[in-house]
Amino acid sequence: MSVDKFTLLESSCVPLPIENVDTDQIIPARFLKATSRDGFGENLFRDWRFSPSGEPVKDFVLNQSEYSGKVLVAGKNFGSGSSREHAAWAIADYGFKVVISSFFADIFRNNALNNGVLPVQVSAEFLKKLFKVVESDHSQKVIVDLEKQELKYNDEACQFEINPYKKDCLLNGFDDIDYLLNKKNKIQAFEESSLK
Amino acid sequence: MKAKTLFDKVWDAHVVEHVEGGPNIVYIDKHLIHEVTSPQAFSGLESRGLKVLRPEKTLGTPDHNIPTVNQHLPIKDEQSRKQIETLSANCEKNKIELYGLNHPNNGIVHVVGPEMGHTQPGMTLVCGDSHTSTHGAFGAVAFGIGTSEVEMVLATQCIMQSKPKKMRITIDGDLAKGVTAKDLTLYVIAQLGTGGATGYFVEYAGAAVRNLSMEGRMTVCNMSIEMGARGGMIAPDDATFEYVKGREHAPKGEAWEQALAKWKTLKTDEGAEFDMEYTYKAEDIEPRITYGTNPGMGMGITAFIPAESDIQASELPSFKKSLAYMNYELGEQILGKKVDYVFVGSCTNGRIEDLRAFASLVAGRKKADSITAWIVPGSKKVEKQAIEEGLVEILEKAGFEMRQPGCSACLAMNEDKVPANKYCVSTSNRNFEGRQGPGSRTLLASPLTAAAAAITGVISDPREFV
Ligand code: SF4
């Protein structure tokens, strides 16, 4: 599956100022029984979003109509826990294109990138300010420019890091498998020389 | 020649190519798959018109989603059944070895790999499961991957990953009586925090680690991910070779001798550099228990939950949210508090040594009436051994029964769910909100601490019983 191209995004934000949001919160295990990639957005943050009887929890941010947008802003150490790519699928399926946090768990970061979701890591101070701004003005937009590796709103801006190879993948909408398939001969040569 | 770490040696030997400005292409020796994270990878392959490149380097076993009673009957939950059938069909179609449900080798993927001799020193090994770090106990570079990466490995036997930084964690001295590998790992995680090793591959060293059995080493490497590490590893030694020797998929005869010679070189060279080093003393480690909703929120079993003044202001809201979920107070002691469930099992503590430890403590005692206990062996082989060693008999006399193998209440995908608001002392690895069932409250601990809770009905210090 190749990923959607990503270049520039301007969007309002959904703030989730909680730290250590783990993959069991993003998508609880009981929703991992599917054998396809679709429909996980429905159960994104399921147990925070809905009561045990299925009623929307009013003060959870995804249920607050004043917040919307393709950018999720979350507390530090986002995506820790399991390797379930379902977490990234749920976020993408819900409609988020970017997650901003001051720290991401490793496997989540990779999974997100492999699904066209851009993890943008910012400093703790930048994040704190952004939370404040978004919470006081719900329609506040941010601009995420992948080419320039820049995140901007009003007069504030910061650079973010991304591996140049991954950046290339996202800008062009190709994925690792496409790349690896082109390396077949190299892989075979490695098998012949290094493994006996 | 430049001094290398154990990790460097194994990683570098598997780099097919270094991508300019990007990750390495890393060759994978062994790929383990299970029912939950593989179906979308197989359908991805199919839609690209690709085949599995090296089916003989791949092994499948269903574990996450299987029932732990009446495994001989058809699985009731339709989605679960379909997921397990999909794994069987994908393995059959692609000629991948499968330890299906009811197969004598079936079990949790990280228990089965080592016990069948698939896991060997110096390997690269991946699986679509974060606790793949378990296999690092053999001196392998082993780590969890996402489903897109599972697809990648199926298609090309390679993965694209940047080389992580290196950390060494040394535990000097000897663990005290009643203190286990699980306590050691919970201690380290509490020191570093859940993100403390993010971006790193960890090597564990020091006398306390060296003196652990292979089972104990697996427990330690298993939970590396709980501090964010890509993986953990321990240099192979005689204990490792002894464990691997003679197992079904281990090299035999001359191949064994050759492998052994190579494996003996797998250690960190004198003077090799780590990006980060930590050293701890085994004497400082007590039996541990967690009180919050991430594995870093743990303490000695007799200790007190931090008070408000001990917590950084920025972390306080998340900390309070977590305690509210657990219904515990800042600054209180949890020793003696009520427990409802006890779960012994998982890829962290579902091996034979763990069942032995649990049985040794409950032998001659009785399960507390108020406790529901789930004792779940990590694999069919563990189950068989527990019966042969008479452990099941000891358990039964004490009022416990053993279920059939699987991941069970570690992640509560199957029927084994702890009800809302109930407390479970669990030998598994994650105490996240709802991990063991919606609203469930998990206290992570060792099999000994679980046993102490199981006979008293409250959080208890296992040292009083061993
Ligand atoms: S026992 Fe738990 S942690 Fe281990 S593989 Fe199964 S679900 Fe994952």
Side-chain angles (χ1 to χ4, degrees):
Chain A
M1 197 194 65
S2 39
V3 297
D4 291 344
K5 284 188 192 182
F6 188 110
T7 44
L8 189 121
L9 178 79
E10 180 168 7
S11 167
S12 52
C13 305
V14 177
L16 185 67
I18 300 174
E19 296 182 350
N20 302 315
V21 173
D22 59 72
T23 48
D24 277 79
Q25 308 320 315
I26 300 172
I27 183 92
R30 59 188 192 282
F31 300 112
L32 308 186
K33 295 184 181 185
T35 48
S36 79
R37 286 178 189 243
D38 313 317
F40 287 101
E42 257 174 64
N43 295 313
L44 175 67
F45 297 119
R46 175 76 197 203
D47 292 338
W48 285 346
R49 200 167 141 200
F50 298 103
S51 72
S53 59
E55 296 295 310
V57 173
K58 274 211 212 86
D59 45 0
F60 186 64
V61 67
L62 295 195
N63 297 323
Q64 296 175 330
S65 54
E66 61 270 34
Y67 289 112
S68 66
K70 295 187 159 74
V71 177
L72 177 68
V73 188
K76 83 163 184 231
N77 198 23
F78 186 82
S80 59
S82 122
S83 65
R84 60 184 72 157
E85 196 162 316
H86 312 69
W89 298 338
I91 286 173
D93 188 52
Y94 186 85
F96 290 122
K97 289 285 204 189
V98 169
V99 183
I100 300 174
S101 176
S102 57
F103 199 77
F104 290 94
D106 267 344
I107 306 184
F108 176 80
R109 183 197 296 271
N110 263 343
N111 285 343
L113 286 166
N114 283 335
N115 287 279
V117 172
L118 179 65
V120 173
Q121 186 161 328
V122 299
S123 69
E125 301 87 84
F126 192 95
L127 185 69
K128 203 168 154 192
K129 252 199 224 159
L130 183 59
F131 273 133
K132 265 213 185 115
V133 171
V134 171
E135 280 165 0
S136 62
D137 176 4
H138 306 156
S139 63
Q140 174 69 52
K141 288 200 166 145
V142 298
I143 298 173
V144 183
D145 186 336
L146 178 57
E147 184 69 62
K148 289 199 208 144
Q149 296 180 224
E150 189 184 64
L151 168 66
K152 256 193 335 202
Y153 67 89
N154 306 342
D155 293 335
E156 299 280 340
C158 75
Q159 299 295 121
F160 59 86
E161 299 221 354
I162 179 169
N163 177 306
Y165 162 81
K166 277 291 175 196
K167 177 174 169 180
D168 225 38
C169 284
L170 275 185
L171 287 172
N172 296 297
F174 58 73
D175 66 10
D176 288 357
I177 301 191
D178 299 331
Y179 187 90
L180 282 173
L181 287 172
N182 279 322
K183 296 285 173 182
K184 265 216 157 123
N185 294 338
K186 274 230 142 184
I187 296 170
Q188 210 172 352
F190 177 87
E191 285 183 324
E192 280 157 15
S193 67
S194 306
L195 316 167
K196 283 153 277 131
Chain B
M1 219 170 55
K2 194 166 174 274
K4 282 185 158 196
T5 68
L6 166 64
F7 173 77
D8 289 327
K9 288 182 185 177
V10 180
W11 178 276
D12 294 351
H14 288 84
V15 174
V16 174
E17 187 180 88
H18 181 78
V19 181
E20 234 354 85
N24 293 319
I25 299 179
V26 181
Y27 191 84
I28 300 302
D29 295 320
K30 188 60 95 183
H31 184 195
L32 308 176
I33 58 174
H34 62 85
E35 77 276 28
V36 177
T37 56
S38 69
Q40 294 87 349
F42 280 104
S43 43
L45 267 196
E46 218 153 274
S47 65
R48 289 176 199 253
L50 295 172
K51 284 217 292 269
V52 178
L53 183 69
R54 299 284 174 247
E56 71 282 5
K57 297 191 179 205
T58 315
L59 169 75
T61 182
D63 54 4
H64 282 62
N65 203 355
I66 57 178
T68 55
V69 288
N70 291 327
Q71 288 186 344
H72 61 290
L73 298 178
I75 299 172
K76 277 193 240 137
D77 183 287
E78 197 186 321
Q79 271 188 308
S80 302
R81 192 174 65 235
K82 181 166 173 229
Q83 210 173 42
I84 287 148
E85 285 169 359
T86 304
L87 177 69
S88 304
N90 282 329
C91 286
E92 194 183 303
K93 194 163 152 200
N94 293 286
K95 306 199 167 47
I96 292 169
E97 187 175 10
L98 173 74
Y99 300 153
L101 191 57
N102 294 311
H103 188 289
N105 301 341
N106 175 250
I108 304 174
V109 62
H110 311 309
V111 176
V112 163
E115 85 187 351
M116 294 303 296
H118 289 285
T119 308
Q120 294 165 20
M123 271 187 164
T124 46
L125 185 154
V126 295
C127 171
D129 185 282
S130 56
H131 292 98
T132 307
S133 57
T134 313
H135 308 262
F138 292 80
V141 166
F143 51 90
I145 57 178
T147 299
S148 296
E149 294 169 309
V150 171
E151 186 179 334
M152 240 174 262
V153 180
L154 290 173
T156 67
Q157 204 58 35
C158 287
I159 195 167
M160 302 198 57
Q161 291 260 337
S162 314
K163 190 173 179 180
K165 290 182 281 185
K166 289 156 291 180
M167 178 186 289
R168 180 160 59 189
I169 298 178
T170 305
I171 322 279
D172 292 323
D174 295 316
L175 293 174
K177 206 166 180 223
V179 180
T180 68
K182 181 63 165 290
D183 302 302
L184 187 159
T185 188
L186 285 173
Y187 175 84
V188 171
I189 295 162
Q191 307 308 307
L192 267 73
T194 49
T198 303
Y200 290 89
F201 218 96
V202 177
E203 180 178 343
Y204 298 96
V209 173
R210 289 255 77 86
N211 290 335
L212 292 174
S213 65
M214 286 315 293
E215 280 88 352
R217 294 181 193 184
M218 284 190 251
T219 302
V220 171
C221 289
N222 173 279
M223 289 193 69
S224 307
I225 182 76
E226 260 57 70
M227 45 194 188
R230 290 296 282 132
M233 65 197 305
I234 295 172
D237 58 13
D238 288 342
T240 321
F241 309 141
E242 194 56 41
Y243 182 100
V244 176
K245 196 172 182 180
R247 297 202 179 246
E248 210 166 304
H249 288 266
K252 308 262 152 53
E254 203 176 312
W256 170 260
E257 295 305 328
Q258 277 174 7
L260 196 61
K262 218 164 116 194
W263 294 348
K264 286 186 172 164
T265 66
L266 295 175
K267 50 175 145 260
T268 292
D269 296 331
E270 197 77 39
E273 278 178 31
F274 288 85
D275 301 287
M276 189 72 98
E277 291 237 33
Y278 294 98
T279 303
Y280 301 106
K281 288 205 232 56
E283 302 89 86
D284 293 343
I285 307 176
E286 278 191 287
R288 306 279 303 181
I289 193 143
T290 64
Y291 54 82
T293 56
N294 73 58
M297 298 175 79
M299 60 185 180
I301 190 127
T302 56
F304 292 75
I305 296 176
E308 188 155 340
S309 54
D310 302 330
I311 311 278
Q312 276 187 21
S314 66
E315 316 225 315
L316 202 56
S318 294
F319 195 86
K320 280 187 171 164
K321 177 175 183 293
S322 175
L323 284 191
Y325 181 87
M326 295 300 290
N327 200 23
Y328 287 149
E329 306 285 334
L330 283 151
E332 76 172 338
Q333 194 182 28
I334 63 171
L335 192 71
K337 282 196 184 268
K338 186 167 176 286
V339 175
D340 308 289
Y341 281 70
V342 166
F343 171 59
V344 180
S346 87
C347 58
T348 311
N349 284 123
R351 280 172 277 269
I352 192 69
E353 186 180 276
D354 304 310
L355 296 184
R356 281 186 202 134
F358 185 87
S360 73
L361 196 145
V362 302
R365 301 190 169 101
K366 281 272 175 240
K367 181 181 85 66
D369 289 338
S370 58
I371 292 282
T372 305
W374 290 330
I375 319 292
V376 185
S379 70
K380 285 288 226 192
K381 286 205 149 109
V382 171
E383 178 185 43
K384 186 160 170 262
Q385 200 175 344
I387 296 169
E388 284 167 4
E389 287 186 13
L391 300 180
V392 172
E393 210 183 307
I394 296 174
L395 292 178
E396 282 173 357
K397 273 199 190 130
F400 298 91
E401 29 173 313
M402 196 166 73
R403 297 169 81 88
Q404 289 173 299
C407 291
S408 180
C410 174
L411 91 165
M413 255 188 100
N414 68 359
E415 311 297 306
D416 307 345
K417 291 182 176 52
V418 175
N421 302 330
K422 298 287 182 198
Y423 290 92
C424 178
V425 173
S426 177
T427 69
S428 56
N429 42 56
R430 289 192 174 136
N431 51 352
F432 297 152
E433 282 184 30
R435 171 77 178 185
Q436 297 195 286
S440 61
R441 293 170 174 151
T442 302
L443 310 162
L444 300 175
S446 76
L448 286 178
T449 303
I455 54 171
T456 58
V458 296
I459 297 172
S460 304
D461 188 338
R463 287 171 296 193
E464 288 172 19
F465 302 93
V466 295

